[in-house]
Amino acid sequence: FGEINVCCCNAGVCRLAPFEEFTDEMRDFHIDVNIKGVWNTCQAVIPYMLQQGGGNIVIASSVTGDIVADAGEAAYAMTKAALVGLTKCLAVEYATRNIRVNCTQLGYARTPMVEKMAVESNPEDPESAIRDIAVGVPMKRLAKPTEVGELFAFLGSDESSYLTGSQIVIARRNGEARYGDVGPVMIFSQSPIKNTPGNRNPGVFLFCLKTAADGCETPLPAVLDLPLQMLCRHDRCLPL
């Protein structure tokens, strides 16, 4: 594609346990994926963005840690809150060099992961588990993955050209929440010359990479399902 215009850092894991029972391995697992994954991805793409004269980075944080907190999620809350700080620092550091950095703070979306959790919670009536989650959401429903993807696409587009260092909450749920492991790593790469007929966001690509937490094997619905330029995890980044 020749350029990396938009990068979305969206790898995340969550393991639940009482704080006094958290092992060093469990703690480091969260740090490796949730913090180092984003850190390494940003370090991999920013040099390219500087060379080409700018770009956009979207970091997927969470409402957990920075806004709300639930028992048993100390490591998840700590690492997701850290991403808010990283977003603000990078936004300030690179604003004058035409790189914008924003973060999303997601509560619950109706993904295959959440639907699986609902089945495990109530095998006879999983929809009731979904409804229980949605009770605390003002719209009384979970977000669609495409609605979350639209926010990422907006933050990566010129329509948000005056936003940097922002925290945008989507699908917030008040009260207790339970998260499982989130599988995909998503990086958006926008090509200025590729224009697929019928696409509202031409040239925006999505890829899903299986994480160490045995996450998803196929992309979640977001913007498009097309190849990527680079894959990044907590230990390395691989050009495609």
Side-chain angles (χ1 to χ4, degrees):
F1 305 118
E3 293 187 353
I4 300 178
N5 301 97
V6 184
C7 173
C8 178
C9 307
N10 193 45
V13 293
C14 178
R15 295 286 170 84
L16 303 178
F19 182 74
E20 70 273 15
E21 297 178 11
F22 246 90
T23 65
D24 290 351
E25 181 181 5
M26 294 170 64
R27 177 203 62 203
D28 293 344
F29 175 60
H30 287 78
I31 293 173
D32 284 345
V33 179
N34 295 354
I35 296 180
K36 290 183 180 179
V38 175
W39 180 285
N40 289 352
T41 301
C42 291
Q43 279 199 323
V45 301
I46 284 176
Y48 292 98
M49 291 181 173
L50 290 173
Q51 290 175 13
Q52 69 194 26
N56 300 313
I57 297 174
V58 184
I59 294 174
S61 179
S62 172
V63 295
T64 300
D66 182 58
I67 299 175
V68 299
D70 297 307
E73 294 184 355
Y76 183 78
M78 173 183 70
T79 53
K80 285 298 186 176
L83 297 183
V84 175
L86 180 62
T87 296
K88 293 180 180 297
C89 185
L90 294 181
V92 170
E93 187 167 346
Y94 292 102
T96 59
R97 286 180 277 181
N98 202 32
I99 296 176
R100 297 188 296 108
V101 187
N102 294 286
C103 76
T104 64
Q105 294 183 283
L106 176 64
Y108 264 107
R110 183 147 187 165
T111 62
M113 179 195 75
V114 171
E115 290 179 344
K116 180 181 178 182
M117 293 167 60
V119 171
E120 292 173 348
S121 174
N122 190 340
E124 295 182 357
D125 188 8
E127 284 300 318
S128 68
I130 296 291
R131 289 192 295 271
D132 288 343
I133 295 172
V135 166
V137 179
M139 291 186 179
K140 306 306 178 186
R141 66 173 178 84
L142 276 60
K144 301 173 184 177
T146 49
E147 291 174 318
V148 180
E150 291 286 359
L151 174 59
F152 291 167
F154 167 72
L155 290 174
S157 74
D158 291 340
E159 293 179 353
S160 61
S161 59
Y162 200 62
L163 288 179
T164 193
S166 298
Q167 307 163 236
I168 300 183
V169 175
I170 182 170
R172 175 176 177 177
R173 177 179 183 268
N174 297 319
E176 187 179 31
R178 287 292 176 264
Y179 294 80
D181 295 326
V182 179
V185 176
M186 300 199 303
I187 306 173
F188 292 101
S189 176
Q190 186 171 14
S191 166
I193 60 175
K194 188 176 182 67
N195 189 350
T196 305
N199 290 332
R200 288 187 298 161
N201 301 297
V204 182
F205 306 104
L206 167 67
F207 190 86
C208 176
L209 175 66
K210 193 171 183 180
T211 70
D214 291 328
C216 74
E217 296 179 352
T218 57
L220 294 177
V223 184
L224 295 178
D225 180 7
L226 294 173
L228 259 191
Q229 236 172 315
M230 182 176 291
L231 301 180
C232 293
R233 292 185 56 171
H234 74 272
D235 53 347
R236 58 179 176 166
C237 292
L238 303 174
L240 297 180

